[in-house]
Amino acid sequence: MSTQEKEWGLITEFKSAKDIYHAAEKLRDSGFKKFECYTPFPIHGMDDAMGIKATKLPWLILACGLTGLATATGLQVITNADLYPMIIGGKPNGVGSLVAFLPVMFELSVLFSAFGAVFGMIGINGLPKLYNPVFKHEAFKKVTDDGFFISVSVDDPKYNTQKTTEFLEKIGGKDVTVIND
Amino acid sequence: MIDMTLDPNADNPAQRTPLVQGGMGFKDVSHAVCDISERKTPKIWFLCLAAALSTLGLLKTSILYLIWEGTGIWGLNNPTYWGWAIVNFVFWVGIGHAGTLISAILFLLRQDWRTGVNRFAEAMTLMAVACAGVFPGIHIGRVWAAYWLFPIPNQMTLWPNFHSPLLWDVFAVSTYATVSLLFWYVGLIPDLATMRDRAKTKYRKIAYGVLSLGWTGANKHWQRYEKAYAILAALATPLVLSVHTIVSFDFTVSNLPGWHTTIFPPYFVAGAVFSGFAMVITLMTVVRHIYKLENLITIRHLENMCKIILLTGTLVGYAYAMEFFIAWYSGVEFESYAFINRAFGQYGWAYFIMIGCNVISPQFFWFKWCRTNVVFMFIISIFVNIGMWFERFVITMTLNNDFLPSSWDYYSPTIWDVSTFVGSFGLFFTLLLLFLRFLPIVAISEVKNCIPEADPHHGDHH
């Protein structure tokens, strides 16, 4: 186990939501790219403080919703007009009775969009991921309680174990620790 | 200096009663919620579970006998082919509406107070929808052919009739159940991670570890999470309105006087929200007392829900009045007869139970004392629950006096109607007790967000 371990990055803890917010701004302004903030709840404005772009998730959800709409339309028109025509009270059938098909069209659009939203979010986030190097840091258990952590990855072009540690300590991080993976 | 008055209605949100009271910090919130499932299982829980499981056994027995013998064991007659099964179905689906309303509509309206109660209400939604789902499944008579409800290719190359409201209902209710479950689970992920990180035993570590999917609280994850949550809320908002609208189509699309009215969809939705909030109050007042959650589920939360009950109860009362007005104003004698018969016919007693419980009892909530007294609101909520069951009963019993006076009859339930309905509460409470024991019953991360220190600009001078 130990022979294969490589340095993964640094992790440090901050005292409050306010502190981690300002620390993220300073990391962003110093040109760090591959750092991450871990918080017990989403912090308002953190995306800007970290300088990360908006997610593309809504487009995926739209595509799923349209797929649902097309599925419902196809399912109803094909089955009721072609495979098993049902003419009731002489009323129009198939495409002619599109109004009667609206409820199912709406429902399947919502259903498929919801699948897109949930599984899209989980998928883009790379979950489920039950093993994560940050879990090796004992204090990290606090992150879902009242802990605020920042990690900086070795992949960051500005990363240097010594200098980055000093920088993190300067901006208020405590217990800066090297994480190996 | 801001004068910190404790007024739940202050225009400036900063001056309103705090949503988290008792000076609780982030750690206290996690502890208050997680400890419920971490401490030793109280004896009372086992007693309640035993009672709930016995009642669930009653449901099972009733269903097995129904499958063995057929729907003849119920009080159905000609022309009342729809009896308690449809009444119970609409009753349970209606209760299910509060959860999604709280989690989706109040989320979009930025009503922060929802955070204390949304998890519980969403769980209640799922349980109520599960109970509702039982009834259409069993009342079709030949239960083994229930798959005909779904558009599945079968050996007779038969397809369902998509022009039928009953089929729309299949899609509406199953979509609603699925989306509610997804919405609930998404909300649970960060809190399950909290339970994982606090877990002491091996089984808890594995169970909550797997269920929380390895959540780390990374900001990039939160970003997509919040986007997904907001979009789910935006999707669930029209969905929750559509579900009871489509349930009302089961009645309105038929040509029966008393059912064939355009007021049904909004009236059903208002009634659903009304009954749902009443059930949330019924359960919440008890649960917050037993688990000492008064600082998280405060009087302000309960008072807000009482106000919604007052609003929707009054809307329902308006709908009852408008039905009568239109029946008279239309000049259609069959329509007029249906309504006069509803209030003063064989089932007049049920009609006035409905009016008393649904229209009169919520009017007490005009008074602040009634809205802030926990025992009083519990009693009113019970009345509303009863009244809303009777509303569906009254509507369904319109069937009794159909177009042919020779076929008029009086519908009475049998012991099996009653046992099936009572049994469905067994299913509801079994699921509820399991939820209370094993899952975080308050949305921990969302409540933390309502604590002033969660704001990165807290304490800054503006």
Side-chain angles (χ1 to χ4, degrees):
Chain A
M1 170 188 161
S2 56
T3 51
Q4 302 291 319
E5 278 197 349
K6 280 199 319 225
E7 192 172 331
W8 180 84
L10 288 167
I11 194 156
T12 179
E13 192 183 344
F14 289 85
K15 202 166 80 259
S16 66
K18 193 173 166 172
D19 289 357
I20 197 174
Y21 179 85
H22 294 304
E25 284 178 330
K26 284 174 192 147
L27 276 159
R28 176 197 66 193
D29 294 342
S30 314
F32 281 94
K33 297 276 178 240
K34 291 197 186 294
F35 68 100
E36 184 58 275
C37 301
Y38 305 89
T39 54
F41 46 82
I43 292 176
H44 189 67
M46 199 56 158
D47 298 347
D48 289 337
M50 286 178 68
I52 54 176
K53 287 196 295 266
T55 166
K56 296 210 164 51
L57 184 64
W59 295 103
L60 175 75
I61 299 172
L62 179 67
C64 291
L66 292 173
T67 310
L69 181 65
T71 307
T73 316
L75 173 72
Q76 297 182 94
V77 172
I78 293 168
T79 58
N80 270 197
D82 185 34
L83 295 175
Y84 196 82
M86 276 193 218
I87 298 165
I88 293 156
K91 280 177 257 179
N93 200 22
V95 183
S97 60
L98 217 53
V99 173
F101 296 160
L102 285 177
V104 174
M105 285 156 79
F106 170 77
E107 298 298 336
L108 287 195
S109 306
V110 169
L111 183 66
F112 281 47
S113 306
F115 282 137
V118 176
F119 297 113
M121 182 272 288
I122 292 173
I124 300 175
N125 280 347
L127 303 174
K129 183 181 177 185
L130 301 186
Y131 169 78
N132 195 324
V134 289
F135 289 146
K136 289 182 176 174
H137 187 53
E138 191 50 36
F140 195 73
K141 275 192 168 23
K142 283 197 286 187
V143 75
T144 53
D145 187 5
D146 64 346
F148 302 86
F149 293 85
I150 287 185
S151 73
V152 183
S153 166
V154 282
D155 297 336
D156 194 292
K158 285 201 66 177
Y159 187 87
N160 172 302
T161 312
Q162 184 64 33
K163 283 182 186 158
T164 311
T165 304
E166 282 162 13
F167 181 75
L168 287 172
E169 279 167 351
K170 202 178 87 198
I171 61 174
K174 55 173 189 178
D175 302 332
V176 183
T177 312
V178 178
I179 301 267
N180 292 316
D181 185 22
Chain B
M1 275 302 285
I2 300 166
D3 178 28
M4 282 298 284
T5 44
L6 295 186
D7 175 10
N9 307 317
D11 284 337
N12 178 357
Q15 288 169 16
R16 289 184 197 159
T17 321
L19 285 165
V20 181
Q21 296 180 354
M24 290 173 97
F26 300 132
K27 215 176 183 59
D28 306 312
V29 174
S30 313
H31 185 73
V33 180
C34 296
D35 187 53
I36 293 171
S37 107
E38 287 163 355
R39 70 177 87 128
K40 199 166 161 286
T41 314
K43 281 203 183 68
I44 181 87
W45 186 85
F46 287 108
L47 282 173
C48 292
L49 187 70
L53 284 174
S54 324
T55 322
L56 179 61
L58 186 65
L59 178 69
K60 273 194 197 152
T61 314
S62 310
I63 292 176
L64 285 176
Y65 184 55
L66 175 84
I67 295 170
W68 182 258
E69 196 67 28
T71 45
I73 65 165
W74 288 345
L76 302 175
N77 58 38
N78 178 359
T80 312
Y81 293 107
W82 268 5
W84 277 32
I86 188 80
V87 176
N88 300 341
F89 165 70
V90 183
F91 172 76
W92 281 117
V93 173
I95 285 174
H97 278 56
T100 319
L101 185 106
I102 291 175
S103 48
I105 299 183
L106 297 185
F107 176 82
L108 296 181
L109 296 176
R110 299 278 180 270
Q111 295 291 313
D112 280 346
W113 63 270
R114 66 183 267 288
T115 54
V117 290
N118 70 337
R119 169 71 41 73
F120 187 86
E122 284 169 43
M124 189 202 71
T125 290
L126 291 171
M127 293 150 199
V129 172
C131 294
V134 168
F135 290 97
I138 59 172
H139 94 301
I140 53 175
R142 287 181 288 162
V143 181
W144 48 93
Y147 69 94
W148 288 3
L149 291 166
F150 300 98
I152 304 168
N154 58 39
Q155 69 274 29
M156 294 163 292
T157 65
L158 191 73
W159 290 91
N161 178 11
F162 283 101
H163 304 84
S164 164
L166 299 176
L167 192 77
W168 304 341
D169 225 8
V170 172
F171 279 83
V173 175
S174 54
T175 299
Y176 185 55
T178 313
V179 174
S180 302
L181 181 66
L182 291 172
F183 202 15
W184 183 64
Y185 180 63
V186 167
L188 269 172
I189 294 172
D191 296 351
L192 288 168
T194 305
M195 307 268 280
R196 169 198 69 198
D197 290 344
R198 289 170 59 96
K200 295 277 185 291
T201 66
K202 190 177 156 199
Y203 292 112
R204 289 180 76 92
K205 278 181 186 162
I206 293 173
Y208 294 117
V210 171
L211 286 173
S212 59
L213 308 174
W215 182 260
T216 56
N219 188 62
K220 286 193 190 78
H221 292 186
W222 276 122
Q223 184 202 29
R224 296 175 193 120
Y225 174 92
E226 285 202 290
K227 185 61 86 182
Y229 198 87
I231 291 177
L232 276 175
L235 290 167
T237 297
L239 181 67
V240 68
L241 301 179
S242 84
V243 175
H244 232 56
T245 298
I246 291 176
V247 169
S248 82
F249 286 166
D250 291 347
F251 300 91
T252 50
V253 176
S254 70
N255 284 329
L256 199 72
W259 284 7
H260 193 58
T261 58
T262 49
I263 201 173
F264 261 37
Y267 150 37
F268 266 53
V269 171
V273 172
F274 181 53
S275 66
F277 272 87
M279 192 56 108
V280 174
I281 294 260
T282 307
L283 302 171
M284 214 59 175
T285 46
V286 177
V287 167
R288 81 191 266 279
H289 177 73
I290 292 177
Y291 290 121
K292 312 244 179 308
L293 291 171
E294 283 92 346
N295 284 329
L296 291 177
I297 302 155
T298 64
I299 291 291
R300 178 176 162 199
H301 292 95
L302 298 175
E303 186 183 358
N304 283 351
M305 290 196 279
C306 289
K307 286 179 185 168
I308 292 180
I309 289 181
L310 173 62
L311 170 73
T312 47
T314 312
L315 281 173
V316 167
Y318 170 81
Y320 296 157
M322 197 43 68
E323 278 186 322
F324 266 78
F325 171 73
I326 293 295
W328 166 75
Y329 187 67
S330 67
V332 180
E333 58 181 313
F334 303 103
E335 194 76 20
S336 306
Y337 170 76
F339 282 94
I340 291 168
N341 188 48
R342 203 177 264 184
F344 304 107
Q346 294 161 307
Y347 288 101
W349 58 273
Y351 186 84
F352 286 99
I353 291 177
M354 170 186 98
I355 294 284
C357 293
N358 291 351
V359 186
I360 297 169
S361 75
Q363 301 307 320
F364 284 104
F365 287 148
W366 286 106
F367 304 102
K368 190 164 178 90
W369 183 86
C370 303
R371 292 198 305 268
T372 50
N373 184 299
V374 178
V375 176
F376 188 84
M377 73 175 80
F378 175 81
I379 294 168
I380 294 288
S381 75
I382 296 288
F383 275 111
V384 173
N385 288 325
I386 295 170
M388 283 309 291
W389 188 88
F390 271 97
E391 179 196 294
R392 282 64 177 250
F393 179 73
V394 165
I395 292 170
T396 306
M397 287 310 122
T398 307
L399 279 171
N400 268 304
N401 296 59
D402 69 348
F403 302 100
L404 268 181
S406 61
S407 67
W408 291 2
D409 204 348
Y410 189 81
Y411 169 92
S412 308
T414 63
I415 185 82
W416 294 104
D417 284 297
V418 181
S419 67
T420 314
F421 178 53
V422 171
S424 66
F425 279 91
L427 177 59
F428 183 76
F429 282 109
T430 303
L431 295 171
L432 184 76
L433 286 162
L434 293 174
F435 165 70
L436 288 176
R437 188 68 209 132
F438 296 108
L439 292 173
I441 64 171
V442 174
I444 305 171
S445 68
E446 292 186 46
V447 168
K448 284 179 187 167
N449 233 338
C450 293
I451 296 177
E453 285 78 15
D455 178 3
H457 305 293
H458 174 66
D460 291 357
H461 294 287
H462 292 287

